[in-house]
Amino acid sequence: MKQIVVSGIRSTGNLHLGNYYGALRNFIQMQNEYECYFFIADYHSLTTHPDPAMLHPNVKSILAEYLAAGLDPEKSAIYIQSDVPEVCELYTLLNMHAYVGELERTVSFKDKIRKQPENVNAGLLTYPVLMAADILQHKANLVPVGKDQLQHLEMTRKYARRFNTIYNTELFPEPDAYKFHGEPIKIPGLDGSGKMGKSEGNCIYLNDEDKVLTKKVMRAVTDQGPTEMNQTKPEVIENLFTLMRVVSAPDVVEHFNNLYNNCEIRYGDMKKQLAADILTVTAPIRERYNEIVKDEDYLRKVAAMGAEKARESSARTLEEVRKAMGFRRF
Ligand code: AMP
């Protein structure tokens, strides 16, 4: 039997290079091998209270980006989370066995309390339970996740195990993290901070125009340049090389690495090359995006197809869950 894969990206804005290399590119590879469910997490985006006027446009642009980057609706179920309301019922049922103490201890929750102390809502606290419902509704075996999501996946495994034990069933498989090429990749920000991310405000977006993208790369933080041969690179410079290793050919990386080691590097040249290589990856996606996003009929069809596949799978699981918990129809 085919392994089942589930993953999603929150609809909090356009996709950036971190989303692409950390998630989307992997989805595209996986769709050829597994039974996949890829969704756009609009319920999850509500924890930060987005402007209602932006909710649908954000979902729409991510759907178009998924398709423009190469996700194929004939191969995978591509759906919008809120088109499958069954997930909310499973979320409610799983919540009964999710303990407040363990939810309060999650790293992401503690992080959010610090970042948005004015909005510590119950949705934030139970975020890992909704994520577990997203995954368990399709009985997923594999979840491609970034490093930041590993603790949540561990909780999903715990909830699956707990449910199976309490109701004496083997209903839920315990999903494994699917890591590509060993360690999960982390795309750095080019502003000298850690990772590229929407809340960090340092993103290079897949649909940035050429000029905007080039300007962002040319503004990347650097230093005065190396003063000793073969010296260790400071973090801001290592970040440039990390990104280059992802988007550029190995001989290009080696060329700039040699220049660095010989104290002959000119960061302006390196950034120009980096911008050109990022554009080689993103420009075709942006061109397709600009076409797809205008095609409302096509987007509607894809979303409906995905929702149908996902609802069928979710309803099947939910029926078994209800039965295990003792619900009966008159
Ligand atoms: P988010 O935008 O936080 O909903 O993230 C969606 C997906 O993109 C998750 O699988 C993240 O792990 C991945 N992701 C986000 N930012 C980065 C980054 N800077 N490097 C690698 N993966 C990332």
Side-chain angles (χ1 to χ4, degrees), residues 252-292:
V252 172
V253 184
E254 201 188 324
H255 169 72
F256 285 101
N257 199 34
N258 289 339
L259 289 175
Y260 186 89
N261 286 337
N262 295 329
C263 301
E264 289 168 351
I265 193 154
R266 293 200 331 214
Y267 292 131
D269 293 345
M270 182 177 179
K271 290 180 191 177
K272 245 186 236 159
Q273 179 72 47
L274 183 59
D277 291 342
I278 296 175
L279 278 173
T280 304
V281 178
T282 58
I285 299 178
R286 176 155 47 88
E287 276 166 32
R288 284 195 295 274
Y289 170 86
N290 287 335
E291 286 305 308
I292 293 171

Short mmCIF file of all heavy atoms in Angstrom, two decimals, residues 252-292:
data_model
loop_
_atom_site.label_atom_id
_atom_site.label_comp_id
_atom_site.label_asym_id
_atom_site.label_seq_id
_atom_site.Cartn_x
_atom_site.Cartn_y
_atom_site.Cartn_z
N VAL A 252 30.09 27.41 -9.04
CA VAL A 252 29.93 28.84 -8.74
C VAL A 252 30.24 29.08 -7.26
O VAL A 252 30.96 30.01 -6.89
CB VAL A 252 28.48 29.30 -9.07
CG1 VAL A 252 28.23 30.71 -8.58
CG2 VAL A 252 28.20 29.17 -10.56
N VAL A 253 29.71 28.18 -6.41
CA VAL A 253 29.95 28.31 -4.97
C VAL A 253 31.45 28.18 -4.70
O VAL A 253 32.03 28.98 -3.94
CB VAL A 253 29.19 27.21 -4.18
CG1 VAL A 253 29.37 27.41 -2.68
CG2 VAL A 253 27.71 27.22 -4.53
N GLU A 254 32.06 27.21 -5.37
CA GLU A 254 33.49 26.97 -5.14
C GLU A 254 34.31 28.20 -5.57
O GLU A 254 35.25 28.60 -4.88
CB GLU A 254 33.91 25.74 -5.94
CG GLU A 254 35.18 25.11 -5.39
CD GLU A 254 35.69 24.02 -6.29
OE1 GLU A 254 34.86 23.29 -6.87
OE2 GLU A 254 36.92 23.91 -6.43
N HIS A 255 33.91 28.78 -6.69
CA HIS A 255 34.61 29.97 -7.19
C HIS A 255 34.62 31.08 -6.13
O HIS A 255 35.69 31.62 -5.80
CB HIS A 255 33.90 30.43 -8.48
CG HIS A 255 34.32 31.77 -8.97
ND1 HIS A 255 35.56 32.00 -9.55
CD2 HIS A 255 33.67 32.97 -8.95
CE1 HIS A 255 35.64 33.28 -9.87
NE2 HIS A 255 34.53 33.89 -9.52
N PHE A 256 33.46 31.38 -5.56
CA PHE A 256 33.39 32.47 -4.58
C PHE A 256 34.04 32.06 -3.25
O PHE A 256 34.63 32.90 -2.56
CB PHE A 256 31.94 32.95 -4.38
CG PHE A 256 31.47 33.78 -5.54
CD1 PHE A 256 30.66 33.23 -6.53
CD2 PHE A 256 31.89 35.10 -5.66
CE1 PHE A 256 30.25 33.99 -7.62
CE2 PHE A 256 31.48 35.87 -6.75
CZ PHE A 256 30.66 35.32 -7.73
N ASN A 257 33.98 30.79 -2.95
CA ASN A 257 34.62 30.31 -1.73
C ASN A 257 36.14 30.48 -1.84
O ASN A 257 36.80 30.93 -0.89
CB ASN A 257 34.25 28.84 -1.52
CG ASN A 257 34.48 28.40 -0.10
OD1 ASN A 257 34.29 29.20 0.83
ND2 ASN A 257 34.91 27.17 0.08
N ASN A 258 36.68 30.16 -3.04
CA ASN A 258 38.13 30.34 -3.24
C ASN A 258 38.51 31.81 -3.14
O ASN A 258 39.52 32.15 -2.52
CB ASN A 258 38.55 29.79 -4.61
CG ASN A 258 38.47 28.26 -4.63
OD1 ASN A 258 38.50 27.63 -3.56
ND2 ASN A 258 38.36 27.68 -5.81
N LEU A 259 37.68 32.66 -3.73
CA LEU A 259 37.97 34.10 -3.65
C LEU A 259 37.97 34.56 -2.19
O LEU A 259 38.83 35.33 -1.78
CB LEU A 259 36.92 34.90 -4.44
CG LEU A 259 36.99 34.80 -5.97
CD1 LEU A 259 35.81 35.56 -6.60
CD2 LEU A 259 38.30 35.35 -6.51
N TYR A 260 37.00 34.03 -1.41
CA TYR A 260 36.94 34.40 0.01
C TYR A 260 38.21 33.95 0.72
O TYR A 260 38.85 34.72 1.44
CB TYR A 260 35.70 33.79 0.68
CG TYR A 260 35.52 34.27 2.10
CD1 TYR A 260 34.79 35.43 2.37
CD2 TYR A 260 36.11 33.61 3.18
CE1 TYR A 260 34.65 35.91 3.66
CE2 TYR A 260 35.99 34.08 4.47
CZ TYR A 260 35.25 35.23 4.71
OH TYR A 260 35.12 35.71 5.99
N ASN A 261 38.57 32.70 0.48
CA ASN A 261 39.73 32.14 1.17
C ASN A 261 41.03 32.85 0.80
O ASN A 261 41.97 32.89 1.58
CB ASN A 261 39.85 30.64 0.88
CG ASN A 261 38.79 29.85 1.65
OD1 ASN A 261 38.30 30.34 2.67
ND2 ASN A 261 38.42 28.68 1.16
N ASN A 262 41.07 33.43 -0.41
CA ASN A 262 42.26 34.16 -0.84
C ASN A 262 42.15 35.66 -0.57
O ASN A 262 42.97 36.44 -1.06
CB ASN A 262 42.49 33.96 -2.35
CG ASN A 262 42.80 32.50 -2.66
OD1 ASN A 262 43.39 31.81 -1.84
ND2 ASN A 262 42.39 32.05 -3.84
N CYS A 263 41.13 36.03 0.19
CA CYS A 263 40.88 37.46 0.53
C CYS A 263 40.70 38.32 -0.72
O CYS A 263 41.09 39.49 -0.74
CB CYS A 263 42.02 38.03 1.38
SG CYS A 263 42.28 37.18 2.91
N GLU A 264 40.15 37.73 -1.78
CA GLU A 264 39.96 38.50 -3.01
C GLU A 264 38.49 38.71 -3.34
O GLU A 264 38.14 39.17 -4.43
CB GLU A 264 40.62 37.75 -4.18
CG GLU A 264 42.13 37.77 -4.13
CD GLU A 264 42.75 36.80 -5.11
OE1 GLU A 264 42.01 35.99 -5.72
OE2 GLU A 264 43.97 36.85 -5.25
N ILE A 265 37.63 38.34 -2.42
CA ILE A 265 36.19 38.39 -2.73
C ILE A 265 35.68 39.82 -2.81
O ILE A 265 36.12 40.69 -2.05
CB ILE A 265 35.37 37.58 -1.70
CG1 ILE A 265 33.94 37.37 -2.24
CG2 ILE A 265 35.31 38.27 -0.33
CD1 ILE A 265 33.27 36.15 -1.69
N ARG A 266 34.78 40.03 -3.81
CA ARG A 266 34.04 41.30 -3.84
C ARG A 266 32.58 40.94 -3.65
O ARG A 266 31.98 40.28 -4.51
CB ARG A 266 34.27 42.01 -5.16
CG ARG A 266 35.73 42.46 -5.25
CD ARG A 266 36.02 43.55 -6.23
NE ARG A 266 35.15 43.59 -7.38
CZ ARG A 266 35.55 43.96 -8.59
NH1 ARG A 266 36.82 44.28 -8.80
NH2 ARG A 266 34.71 44.02 -9.59
N TYR A 267 32.03 41.32 -2.49
CA TYR A 267 30.68 40.87 -2.16
C TYR A 267 29.65 41.31 -3.20
O TYR A 267 28.67 40.63 -3.46
CB TYR A 267 30.27 41.37 -0.78
CG TYR A 267 31.04 40.75 0.36
CD1 TYR A 267 31.61 41.53 1.36
CD2 TYR A 267 31.20 39.37 0.44
CE1 TYR A 267 32.32 40.96 2.41
CE2 TYR A 267 31.90 38.79 1.50
CZ TYR A 267 32.46 39.60 2.47
OH TYR A 267 33.15 39.03 3.50
N GLY A 268 29.89 42.49 -3.81
CA GLY A 268 28.96 42.98 -4.84
C GLY A 268 28.84 41.97 -5.98
O GLY A 268 27.72 41.69 -6.45
N ASP A 269 29.97 41.40 -6.40
CA ASP A 269 29.94 40.41 -7.49
C ASP A 269 29.19 39.15 -7.04
O ASP A 269 28.41 38.57 -7.78
CB ASP A 269 31.37 39.99 -7.89
CG ASP A 269 32.12 41.15 -8.52
OD1 ASP A 269 31.46 42.14 -8.89
OD2 ASP A 269 33.37 41.05 -8.62
N MET A 270 29.48 38.76 -5.80
CA MET A 270 28.83 37.54 -5.29
C MET A 270 27.31 37.73 -5.22
O MET A 270 26.53 36.85 -5.61
CB MET A 270 29.38 37.19 -3.91
CG MET A 270 28.78 35.92 -3.36
SD MET A 270 29.49 35.47 -1.78
CE MET A 270 28.56 33.98 -1.42
N LYS A 271 26.89 38.90 -4.75
CA LYS A 271 25.45 39.16 -4.63
C LYS A 271 24.79 39.22 -6.00
O LYS A 271 23.67 38.74 -6.17
CB LYS A 271 25.22 40.48 -3.89
CG LYS A 271 25.57 40.42 -2.41
CD LYS A 271 25.30 41.79 -1.82
CE LYS A 271 25.83 41.97 -0.44
NZ LYS A 271 25.59 43.34 0.04
N LYS A 272 25.49 39.80 -6.98
CA LYS A 272 24.93 39.86 -8.34
C LYS A 272 24.67 38.46 -8.86
O LYS A 272 23.63 38.15 -9.42
CB LYS A 272 25.91 40.58 -9.27
CG LYS A 272 25.35 41.90 -9.78
CD LYS A 272 26.29 42.50 -10.80
CE LYS A 272 26.68 43.90 -10.38
NZ LYS A 272 27.88 44.41 -10.96
N GLN A 273 25.68 37.60 -8.65
CA GLN A 273 25.55 36.21 -9.09
C GLN A 273 24.41 35.50 -8.35
O GLN A 273 23.59 34.78 -8.94
CB GLN A 273 26.87 35.48 -8.82
CG GLN A 273 26.86 34.01 -9.21
CD GLN A 273 26.88 33.82 -10.71
OE1 GLN A 273 27.65 34.45 -11.42
NE2 GLN A 273 25.99 32.96 -11.21
N LEU A 274 24.34 35.75 -7.03
CA LEU A 274 23.31 35.12 -6.21
C LEU A 274 21.92 35.56 -6.69
O LEU A 274 21.02 34.72 -6.86
CB LEU A 274 23.53 35.50 -4.74
CG LEU A 274 22.58 34.87 -3.72
CD1 LEU A 274 22.67 33.35 -3.76
CD2 LEU A 274 22.92 35.36 -2.31
N ALA A 275 21.76 36.86 -6.93
CA ALA A 275 20.46 37.37 -7.39
C ALA A 275 20.09 36.71 -8.73
O ALA A 275 18.94 36.29 -8.93
CB ALA A 275 20.51 38.88 -7.53
N ALA A 276 21.07 36.61 -9.63
CA ALA A 276 20.79 36.01 -10.95
C ALA A 276 20.36 34.55 -10.78
O ALA A 276 19.42 34.08 -11.44
CB ALA A 276 22.03 36.10 -11.83
N ASP A 277 21.03 33.84 -9.87
CA ASP A 277 20.70 32.41 -9.70
C ASP A 277 19.36 32.22 -9.00
O ASP A 277 18.63 31.27 -9.30
CB ASP A 277 21.82 31.69 -8.95
CG ASP A 277 23.08 31.59 -9.81
OD1 ASP A 277 22.96 31.76 -11.04
OD2 ASP A 277 24.18 31.37 -9.26
N ILE A 278 19.01 33.12 -8.10
CA ILE A 278 17.68 33.03 -7.47
C ILE A 278 16.61 33.29 -8.54
O ILE A 278 15.59 32.60 -8.60
CB ILE A 278 17.52 34.02 -6.29
CG1 ILE A 278 18.50 33.68 -5.16
CG2 ILE A 278 16.09 33.99 -5.74
CD1 ILE A 278 18.50 34.68 -4.01
N LEU A 279 16.89 34.26 -9.40
CA LEU A 279 15.92 34.58 -10.46
C LEU A 279 15.72 33.41 -11.42
O LEU A 279 14.61 33.18 -11.91
CB LEU A 279 16.35 35.82 -11.24
CG LEU A 279 16.00 37.15 -10.57
CD1 LEU A 279 16.62 38.31 -11.32
CD2 LEU A 279 14.48 37.33 -10.50
N THR A 280 16.80 32.67 -11.67
CA THR A 280 16.68 31.50 -12.56
C THR A 280 15.65 30.52 -11.98
O THR A 280 14.90 29.89 -12.70
CB THR A 280 18.05 30.80 -12.71
OG1 THR A 280 18.96 31.77 -13.19
CG2 THR A 280 17.99 29.62 -13.65
N VAL A 281 15.63 30.40 -10.65
CA VAL A 281 14.67 29.49 -10.01
C VAL A 281 13.27 30.12 -9.96
O VAL A 281 12.28 29.47 -10.28
CB VAL A 281 15.11 29.17 -8.55
CG1 VAL A 281 14.08 28.28 -7.87
CG2 VAL A 281 16.48 28.55 -8.52
N THR A 282 13.21 31.40 -9.57
CA THR A 282 11.89 31.97 -9.27
C THR A 282 11.17 32.56 -10.48
O THR A 282 9.94 32.55 -10.51
CB THR A 282 12.00 33.07 -8.19
OG1 THR A 282 12.90 34.08 -8.66
CG2 THR A 282 12.48 32.54 -6.87
N ALA A 283 11.91 33.07 -11.47
CA ALA A 283 11.24 33.76 -12.59
C ALA A 283 10.23 32.86 -13.32
O ALA A 283 9.09 33.29 -13.57
CB ALA A 283 12.26 34.35 -13.55
N PRO A 284 10.58 31.60 -13.65
CA PRO A 284 9.58 30.77 -14.32
C PRO A 284 8.35 30.51 -13.44
O PRO A 284 7.23 30.44 -13.94
CB PRO A 284 10.31 29.44 -14.60
CG PRO A 284 11.75 29.71 -14.37
CD PRO A 284 11.86 30.90 -13.48
N ILE A 285 8.56 30.39 -12.13
CA ILE A 285 7.42 30.17 -11.21
C ILE A 285 6.53 31.42 -11.24
O ILE A 285 5.31 31.34 -11.32
CB ILE A 285 7.90 29.88 -9.77
CG1 ILE A 285 8.75 28.62 -9.74
CG2 ILE A 285 6.71 29.77 -8.81
CD1 ILE A 285 9.33 28.27 -8.37
N ARG A 286 7.18 32.59 -11.20
CA ARG A 286 6.42 33.85 -11.19
C ARG A 286 5.62 34.01 -12.48
O ARG A 286 4.47 34.42 -12.45
CB ARG A 286 7.36 35.03 -10.98
CG ARG A 286 6.68 36.37 -11.05
CD ARG A 286 7.44 37.42 -10.26
NE ARG A 286 8.86 37.39 -10.53
CZ ARG A 286 9.44 38.08 -11.53
NH1 ARG A 286 8.72 38.83 -12.33
NH2 ARG A 286 10.74 38.01 -11.70
N GLU A 287 6.25 33.65 -13.63
CA GLU A 287 5.53 33.76 -14.91
C GLU A 287 4.29 32.87 -14.90
O GLU A 287 3.20 33.30 -15.28
CB GLU A 287 6.44 33.35 -16.06
CG GLU A 287 7.32 34.49 -16.53
CD GLU A 287 8.44 34.02 -17.42
OE1 GLU A 287 8.25 33.02 -18.16
OE2 GLU A 287 9.52 34.65 -17.35
N ARG A 288 4.47 31.63 -14.45
CA ARG A 288 3.30 30.72 -14.41
C ARG A 288 2.26 31.24 -13.41
O ARG A 288 1.07 31.19 -13.66
CB ARG A 288 3.73 29.30 -14.04
CG ARG A 288 4.40 28.55 -15.19
CD ARG A 288 4.48 27.06 -14.90
NE ARG A 288 5.32 26.76 -13.75
CZ ARG A 288 6.64 26.59 -13.81
NH1 ARG A 288 7.27 26.68 -14.97
NH2 ARG A 288 7.35 26.31 -12.73
N TYR A 289 2.75 31.73 -12.27
CA TYR A 289 1.84 32.28 -11.25
C TYR A 289 0.96 33.38 -11.84
O TYR A 289 -0.25 33.39 -11.65
CB TYR A 289 2.66 32.83 -10.07
CG TYR A 289 1.86 33.61 -9.07
CD1 TYR A 289 1.21 32.97 -8.03
CD2 TYR A 289 1.73 35.00 -9.18
CE1 TYR A 289 0.44 33.69 -7.12
CE2 TYR A 289 0.97 35.72 -8.28
CZ TYR A 289 0.33 35.06 -7.25
OH TYR A 289 -0.43 35.78 -6.37
N ASN A 290 1.59 34.29 -12.58
CA ASN A 290 0.83 35.43 -13.14
C ASN A 290 -0.28 34.96 -14.07
O ASN A 290 -1.33 35.60 -14.17
CB ASN A 290 1.77 36.40 -13.85
CG ASN A 290 2.59 37.19 -12.85
OD1 ASN A 290 2.18 37.36 -11.69
ND2 ASN A 290 3.78 37.63 -13.25
N GLU A 291 -0.06 33.84 -14.75
CA GLU A 291 -1.11 33.27 -15.61
C GLU A 291 -2.20 32.61 -14.76
O GLU A 291 -3.39 32.86 -14.92
CB GLU A 291 -0.50 32.21 -16.55
CG GLU A 291 0.33 32.80 -17.69
CD GLU A 291 -0.46 33.81 -18.51
OE1 GLU A 291 -1.57 33.45 -18.93
OE2 GLU A 291 0.01 34.96 -18.66
N ILE A 292 -1.73 31.72 -13.86
CA ILE A 292 -2.67 30.88 -13.09
C ILE A 292 -3.59 31.72 -12.20
O ILE A 292 -4.77 31.45 -12.09
CB ILE A 292 -1.90 29.83 -12.26
CG1 ILE A 292 -1.22 28.83 -13.19
CG2 ILE A 292 -2.81 29.10 -11.28
CD1 ILE A 292 -0.26 27.88 -12.49
#
